[in-house]
Amino acid sequence: MDDMTKPPMIPRTDPIWQSKSWQQELADLIRDPQELLQLLGLEAHQLPELGNAKGVFPLKVPRPYAARINRADPTDPLLAQILCTAAENDCHPGFSDDPLAEQSANPVPGLIHKYRGRVLLIVTSNCAIHCRYCFRRHFPYRQNNPRFSHWQKAIDYIHSDNTIEEIILSGGDPMMASDRQLEKLVAKLVLIPHLKRLRIHTRLPVVIPQRITQQCLNWLTDHRLQTIMVIHCNHPQEIDQSVHCMLNKLAQTNLTLLNQTVLLKGVNNNVHTLAALSEDLFQCGVLPYYLHQLDPVNGAARFHVPNTESIALYQDLLAALPGYLVPRFVKEEASATSKTPISIM
Ligand SMILES: *Cc1c(COP(=O)(O)O)cnc(C)c1O
Ligand code: SF4
């Protein structure tokens, strides 16, 4: 029984505090496809032809995320999400630059008011990672100049419409803004009497978990608004020990923690992956929210899962999990008044 008295081999310290800060990670993103291939032990001929890494939506990968990609596996589901291929420039029928017609629901720059009771504020156009399926990859962020100075117009708009009960911070990734900026924004939002809820849609806790600093936890939790954080995780392999730790930490606050996933061919279009994702996230204190059908945005056609397949897959998911672990399967339609549930009948 000697083993019982030995100290554990791995010291029980929080791995987050041993790593670089999130700002250091942002300054050191992988932007060169050759470097990525080298890190992963892959040769160019094992992959589809690579695209122009310096275009409008270049390769961008945080190192903590790259560390979760399996070496020497050209079909890795995390790699598939970030690899910029030459075929992205091809046109496909039904795919466009603005499939959601967001550019017409834009009352003031950076604000999208499409659904009753909630508005979406594009806090910043930046992201830590460039996901190749992203539906905002062609959004004219420059016209929608989402700099801090423009937030005031959005705040005035919310003040003037007392049907708005919820603000959704989005982007890009809103957590790319500094804690000081976000703290100031929240300080203004709490002064709007009819606003009840603050929602943050972010992929940063997954791709660079160090983003959740103590200062961040403070502005997130220390105010009168009910707060919801919707993270964005597509595959159980995205959840390593540091992500697990950070999500648990968030889950222990008074926030409601939800996840949305995009159904992606070659990444998560099978029932085992989606079921494991829900189960693993639940262990971290996260409940599933949406499973999105891919928006038909130019450049993302390789991720398309045909309707017959996706509906069969969703039926299998319903049979595999308890109801509270099944995300709502939805698509977004340009003129609809909500996300549209995809019927399995
Ligand atoms: C998805 C979305 C929302 C949020 O919709 P919920 O169903 O409440 O999650 C709000 N505004 C816009 C523009 C959206 O695209
Ligand atoms: S907005 Fe979200 S999905 Fe799109 S590139 Fe940024 S992190 Fe990825």
Side-chain angles (χ1 to χ4, degrees):
M1 294 272 79
D2 204 34
D3 276 347
M4 303 286 287
T5 57
K6 279 187 191 160
M9 293 286 287
I10 302 165
R12 290 179 57 90
T13 50
D14 188 337
I16 300 306
W17 311 121
Q18 298 170 6
S19 53
K20 291 190 280 186
S21 72
W22 67 279
Q23 292 94 339
Q24 283 171 323
E25 291 293 358
L26 285 180
D28 190 27
L29 298 170
I30 301 170
R31 296 168 185 274
D32 174 4
Q34 295 314 319
E35 185 191 354
L36 182 67
L37 296 197
Q38 218 163 32
L39 275 171
L40 297 175
L42 287 167
E43 308 267 348
H45 69 82
Q46 295 176 276
L47 296 164
E49 191 193 339
L50 296 182
N52 175 9
K54 295 193 173 67
V56 284
F57 195 66
L59 178 90
K60 209 174 178 187
V61 194
R63 287 174 199 274
Y65 181 88
R68 301 170 217 153
I69 300 176
N70 287 320
R71 280 182 58 84
D73 178 4
T75 65
D76 182 275
L78 275 54
L79 177 63
Q81 296 179 53
I82 47 115
L83 203 65
C84 55
T85 68
E88 285 179 13
N89 296 323
D90 299 348
C91 288
H92 293 267
F95 284 68
S96 74
D97 278 359
D98 182 22
L100 309 180
E102 282 195 331
Q103 291 166 32
S104 62
N106 224 206
V108 298
L111 198 73
I112 304 172
H113 193 181
K114 245 172 95 171
Y115 301 154
R116 193 186 182 282
R118 49 227 197 269
V119 287
L120 188 149
L121 177 65
I122 293 173
V123 169
T124 161
S125 55
N126 277 335
C127 286
I129 185 168
H130 278 169
C131 315
R132 306 318 299 176
Y133 53 83
C134 181
F135 71 99
R136 294 232 172 89
R137 55 186 291 165
H138 305 285
F139 197 71
Y141 286 117
R142 253 178 270 280
Q143 284 137 267
N144 266 287
N145 192 341
R147 297 308 310 163
F148 192 50
S149 55
H150 286 70
W151 294 354
Q152 190 56 47
K153 277 195 186 128
I155 289 167
D156 294 343
Y157 177 87
I158 302 168
H159 258 294
S160 70
D161 181 345
N162 64 14
T163 67
I164 299 169
E165 299 193 325
E166 177 167 352
I167 180 165
I168 301 169
L169 307 186
S170 183
D173 195 315
M175 300 286 283
M176 290 292 277
S178 70
D179 286 324
R180 262 193 61 201
Q181 284 179 315
L182 290 162
E183 198 178 314
K184 276 197 211 165
L185 177 60
V186 173
K188 293 196 172 188
L189 294 173
V190 296
L191 300 177
I192 304 174
H194 47 271
L195 203 62
K196 294 181 179 159
R197 293 181 298 275
L198 167 68
R199 193 193 319 177
I200 296 138
H201 277 239
T202 175
R203 191 146 159 70
L204 263 165
V206 172
V207 300
I208 306 181
Q210 301 96 299
R211 175 63 188 91
I212 308 303
T213 57
Q214 187 54 49
Q215 196 186 355
C216 169
L217 289 170
N218 293 347
W219 68 257
L220 264 175
T221 57
D222 190 14
H223 52 78
R224 72 166 182 89
L225 300 169
Q226 281 193 292
T227 305
I228 304 104
M229 181 179 275
V230 183
I231 63 163
H232 177 173
C233 186
N234 295 321
H235 195 284
Q237 197 180 309
E238 290 177 24
I239 310 165
D240 67 3
Q241 200 201 346
S242 61
V243 175
H244 189 114
C245 270
M246 211 32 103
L247 293 176
N248 268 331
K249 193 174 268 187
L250 281 166
Q252 280 159 20
T253 69
N254 57 0
L255 320 161
T256 299
L257 204 51
L258 304 172
N259 178 60
Q260 59 178 347
T261 299
V262 183
L263 182 62
L264 299 166
K265 182 177 163 189
V267 175
N268 58 17
N269 60 326
N270 68 78
V271 69
H272 303 292
T273 303
L274 291 175
L277 178 61
S278 271
E279 287 179 356
D280 292 0
L281 283 168
F282 188 64
Q283 284 200 321
C284 305
V286 186
L287 278 169
Y289 184 37
Y290 282 141
L291 175 64
H292 288 277
Q293 191 180 61
L294 180 74
D295 295 311
V297 64
N298 279 333
R302 72 174 188 270
F303 297 110
H304 175 70
V305 180
N307 268 349
T308 45
E309 183 193 327
S310 64
I311 289 169
L313 177 56
Y314 191 65
Q315 253 164 339
D316 291 346
L317 194 62
L318 283 165
L321 290 170
Y324 60 89
L325 289 187
V326 183
R328 297 165 188 78
F329 186 31
V330 293
K331 66 179 163 190
E332 196 153 334
E333 289 175 319
S335 54
T337 55
S338 71
K339 310 280 186 249
T340 307
I342 296 174
S343 164
I344 60 161
M345 303 294 278

Short mmCIF file of all heavy atoms in Angstrom, two decimals, residues 100 102 112-115 118-120 135-136 166 168 199 201 289-290 292 332 338-339, ligand 1:
data_model
loop_
_atom_site.label_atom_id
_atom_site.label_comp_id
_atom_site.label_asym_id
_atom_site.label_seq_id
_atom_site.Cartn_x
_atom_site.Cartn_y
_atom_site.Cartn_z
N LEU A 100 -26.99 35.75 -44.55
CA LEU A 100 -28.01 36.04 -43.54
C LEU A 100 -28.61 37.42 -43.71
O LEU A 100 -29.43 37.86 -42.91
CB LEU A 100 -27.39 35.94 -42.14
CG LEU A 100 -26.62 34.65 -41.89
CD1 LEU A 100 -26.06 34.64 -40.49
CD2 LEU A 100 -27.50 33.44 -42.12
N GLU A 102 -27.50 40.14 -43.00
CA GLU A 102 -27.28 40.94 -41.79
C GLU A 102 -27.02 42.39 -42.15
O GLU A 102 -27.26 43.28 -41.37
CB GLU A 102 -26.06 40.41 -41.02
CG GLU A 102 -26.35 39.17 -40.24
CD GLU A 102 -25.28 38.88 -39.22
OE1 GLU A 102 -24.12 39.26 -39.45
OE2 GLU A 102 -25.61 38.27 -38.19
N ILE A 112 -26.85 44.88 -34.73
CA ILE A 112 -27.78 44.14 -35.56
C ILE A 112 -29.04 43.86 -34.73
O ILE A 112 -28.96 43.24 -33.67
CB ILE A 112 -27.17 42.81 -36.06
CG1 ILE A 112 -25.86 43.10 -36.81
CG2 ILE A 112 -28.13 42.07 -36.99
CD1 ILE A 112 -25.07 41.85 -37.18
N HIS A 113 -30.16 44.37 -35.21
CA HIS A 113 -31.43 44.19 -34.50
C HIS A 113 -32.37 43.42 -35.40
O HIS A 113 -33.11 43.99 -36.19
CB HIS A 113 -32.03 45.56 -34.14
CG HIS A 113 -33.15 45.46 -33.15
ND1 HIS A 113 -33.84 46.54 -32.71
CD2 HIS A 113 -33.70 44.39 -32.52
CE1 HIS A 113 -34.77 46.15 -31.84
NE2 HIS A 113 -34.70 44.85 -31.72
N LYS A 114 -32.33 42.09 -35.28
CA LYS A 114 -33.12 41.24 -36.17
C LYS A 114 -34.28 40.60 -35.43
O LYS A 114 -35.32 40.34 -36.00
CB LYS A 114 -32.21 40.11 -36.69
CG LYS A 114 -31.94 40.15 -38.19
CD LYS A 114 -30.88 39.14 -38.61
CE LYS A 114 -31.46 37.84 -39.09
NZ LYS A 114 -30.41 36.95 -39.68
N TYR A 115 -34.07 40.28 -34.15
CA TYR A 115 -35.06 39.53 -33.37
C TYR A 115 -35.61 40.41 -32.27
O TYR A 115 -34.92 41.26 -31.71
CB TYR A 115 -34.41 38.30 -32.73
CG TYR A 115 -33.79 37.32 -33.70
CD1 TYR A 115 -32.76 36.49 -33.28
CD2 TYR A 115 -34.23 37.22 -35.02
CE1 TYR A 115 -32.18 35.58 -34.15
CE2 TYR A 115 -33.65 36.31 -35.90
CZ TYR A 115 -32.63 35.50 -35.45
OH TYR A 115 -32.05 34.60 -36.30
N ARG A 118 -33.92 41.47 -28.38
CA ARG A 118 -32.47 41.35 -28.22
C ARG A 118 -31.73 41.97 -29.40
O ARG A 118 -32.19 41.88 -30.54
CB ARG A 118 -32.03 39.90 -28.01
CG ARG A 118 -32.58 38.89 -29.00
CD ARG A 118 -33.10 37.67 -28.23
NE ARG A 118 -33.30 36.49 -29.08
CZ ARG A 118 -34.45 36.22 -29.69
NH1 ARG A 118 -35.48 37.05 -29.61
NH2 ARG A 118 -34.59 35.11 -30.40
N VAL A 119 -30.62 42.60 -29.09
CA VAL A 119 -29.78 43.18 -30.14
C VAL A 119 -28.38 42.60 -30.02
O VAL A 119 -27.93 42.23 -28.94
CB VAL A 119 -29.67 44.72 -30.04
CG1 VAL A 119 -30.95 45.39 -30.46
CG2 VAL A 119 -29.21 45.16 -28.66
N LEU A 120 -27.73 42.56 -31.17
CA LEU A 120 -26.39 41.99 -31.22
C LEU A 120 -25.40 43.11 -31.53
O LEU A 120 -25.55 43.82 -32.52
CB LEU A 120 -26.38 40.91 -32.30
CG LEU A 120 -25.17 40.01 -32.46
CD1 LEU A 120 -25.61 38.64 -32.96
CD2 LEU A 120 -24.18 40.61 -33.43
N PHE A 135 -19.47 32.40 -40.85
CA PHE A 135 -20.44 33.10 -41.70
C PHE A 135 -20.19 34.59 -41.75
O PHE A 135 -20.78 35.29 -42.56
CB PHE A 135 -21.87 32.80 -41.25
CG PHE A 135 -22.25 33.46 -39.95
CD1 PHE A 135 -22.99 34.64 -39.93
CD2 PHE A 135 -21.87 32.90 -38.75
CE1 PHE A 135 -23.33 35.24 -38.73
CE2 PHE A 135 -22.22 33.50 -37.54
CZ PHE A 135 -22.95 34.67 -37.54
N ARG A 136 -19.32 35.11 -40.91
CA ARG A 136 -19.05 36.56 -40.96
C ARG A 136 -17.74 36.86 -41.69
O ARG A 136 -17.23 37.96 -41.59
CB ARG A 136 -19.00 37.13 -39.54
CG ARG A 136 -20.32 37.07 -38.82
CD ARG A 136 -20.74 38.42 -38.24
NE ARG A 136 -22.10 38.32 -37.73
CZ ARG A 136 -22.39 37.94 -36.48
NH1 ARG A 136 -21.44 37.67 -35.62
NH2 ARG A 136 -23.64 37.86 -36.10
N GLU A 166 -32.23 42.42 -23.85
CA GLU A 166 -30.99 41.65 -23.82
C GLU A 166 -30.01 42.20 -24.84
O GLU A 166 -30.39 42.49 -25.98
CB GLU A 166 -31.31 40.18 -24.14
CG GLU A 166 -30.09 39.28 -24.21
CD GLU A 166 -30.44 37.78 -24.20
OE1 GLU A 166 -31.63 37.44 -24.00
OE2 GLU A 166 -29.53 36.98 -24.40
N ILE A 168 -26.46 41.23 -26.80
CA ILE A 168 -25.56 40.12 -27.10
C ILE A 168 -24.25 40.71 -27.61
O ILE A 168 -24.24 41.42 -28.62
CB ILE A 168 -26.18 39.20 -28.18
CG1 ILE A 168 -27.51 38.65 -27.69
CG2 ILE A 168 -25.21 38.07 -28.53
CD1 ILE A 168 -28.32 37.94 -28.77
N ARG A 199 -25.47 38.97 -22.74
CA ARG A 199 -25.03 37.68 -23.28
C ARG A 199 -23.74 37.87 -24.05
O ARG A 199 -23.60 38.85 -24.78
CB ARG A 199 -26.11 37.10 -24.20
CG ARG A 199 -25.84 35.66 -24.53
CD ARG A 199 -26.64 35.06 -25.64
NE ARG A 199 -28.04 35.36 -25.76
CZ ARG A 199 -28.77 34.90 -26.79
NH1 ARG A 199 -28.23 34.11 -27.70
NH2 ARG A 199 -30.05 35.23 -26.90
N HIS A 201 -21.15 35.98 -26.70
CA HIS A 201 -20.86 34.85 -27.58
C HIS A 201 -19.38 34.86 -27.90
O HIS A 201 -18.90 35.79 -28.54
CB HIS A 201 -21.66 34.98 -28.88
CG HIS A 201 -23.07 34.47 -28.78
ND1 HIS A 201 -23.55 33.46 -29.58
CD2 HIS A 201 -24.09 34.81 -27.96
CE1 HIS A 201 -24.82 33.20 -29.26
NE2 HIS A 201 -25.17 34.02 -28.29
N TYR A 289 -26.66 24.45 -26.38
CA TYR A 289 -27.67 25.43 -26.76
C TYR A 289 -28.10 25.14 -28.20
O TYR A 289 -29.14 24.53 -28.43
CB TYR A 289 -27.09 26.84 -26.60
CG TYR A 289 -28.05 27.98 -26.86
CD1 TYR A 289 -29.39 27.91 -26.49
CD2 TYR A 289 -27.60 29.15 -27.47
CE1 TYR A 289 -30.25 28.97 -26.73
CE2 TYR A 289 -28.46 30.22 -27.69
CZ TYR A 289 -29.78 30.12 -27.33
OH TYR A 289 -30.64 31.17 -27.56
N TYR A 290 -27.28 25.51 -29.16
CA TYR A 290 -27.62 25.29 -30.56
C TYR A 290 -26.63 24.38 -31.27
O TYR A 290 -25.43 24.43 -31.00
CB TYR A 290 -27.61 26.63 -31.32
CG TYR A 290 -28.82 27.51 -31.10
CD1 TYR A 290 -28.66 28.89 -30.98
CD2 TYR A 290 -30.10 26.98 -31.04
CE1 TYR A 290 -29.76 29.73 -30.81
CE2 TYR A 290 -31.20 27.82 -30.87
CZ TYR A 290 -31.03 29.18 -30.76
OH TYR A 290 -32.12 30.00 -30.59
N HIS A 292 -25.92 24.37 -35.09
CA HIS A 292 -26.28 25.18 -36.26
C HIS A 292 -26.00 24.42 -37.55
O HIS A 292 -24.94 23.84 -37.71
CB HIS A 292 -25.43 26.46 -36.31
CG HIS A 292 -25.78 27.47 -35.28
ND1 HIS A 292 -26.82 28.36 -35.42
CD2 HIS A 292 -25.24 27.73 -34.07
CE1 HIS A 292 -26.89 29.14 -34.35
NE2 HIS A 292 -25.94 28.77 -33.51
N GLU A 332 -30.31 29.42 -39.80
CA GLU A 332 -30.64 30.83 -39.77
C GLU A 332 -31.13 31.25 -41.14
O GLU A 332 -30.48 30.98 -42.14
CB GLU A 332 -29.41 31.64 -39.37
CG GLU A 332 -29.79 33.02 -38.94
CD GLU A 332 -28.80 33.62 -37.96
OE1 GLU A 332 -28.11 32.88 -37.24
OE2 GLU A 332 -28.73 34.85 -37.94
N SER A 338 -36.72 34.38 -35.81
CA SER A 338 -35.89 33.65 -34.85
C SER A 338 -35.05 32.67 -35.66
O SER A 338 -35.24 32.54 -36.87
CB SER A 338 -36.76 32.87 -33.86
OG SER A 338 -37.37 31.77 -34.52
N LYS A 339 -34.14 31.96 -34.98
CA LYS A 339 -33.50 30.82 -35.63
C LYS A 339 -34.61 29.83 -35.99
O LYS A 339 -35.60 29.71 -35.25
CB LYS A 339 -32.51 30.13 -34.70
CG LYS A 339 -31.51 31.07 -34.03
CD LYS A 339 -30.36 31.47 -34.92
CE LYS A 339 -29.32 32.28 -34.18
NZ LYS A 339 -29.26 33.70 -34.60
C1 LIG B 1 -28.57 34.38 -33.43
C2 LIG B 1 -28.85 35.81 -33.27
C3 LIG B 1 -29.42 36.30 -32.09
C4 LIG B 1 -29.71 35.40 -30.90
O1 LIG B 1 -30.73 34.52 -31.14
P1 LIG B 1 -31.16 33.53 -29.97
O2 LIG B 1 -32.10 32.60 -30.60
O3 LIG B 1 -31.74 34.37 -28.89
O4 LIG B 1 -29.89 32.87 -29.51
C5 LIG B 1 -29.71 37.65 -32.02
N1 LIG B 1 -29.47 38.48 -33.04
C6 LIG B 1 -28.91 38.04 -34.18
C7 LIG B 1 -28.67 39.01 -35.27
C8 LIG B 1 -28.57 36.70 -34.33
O5 LIG B 1 -28.01 36.28 -35.45
#
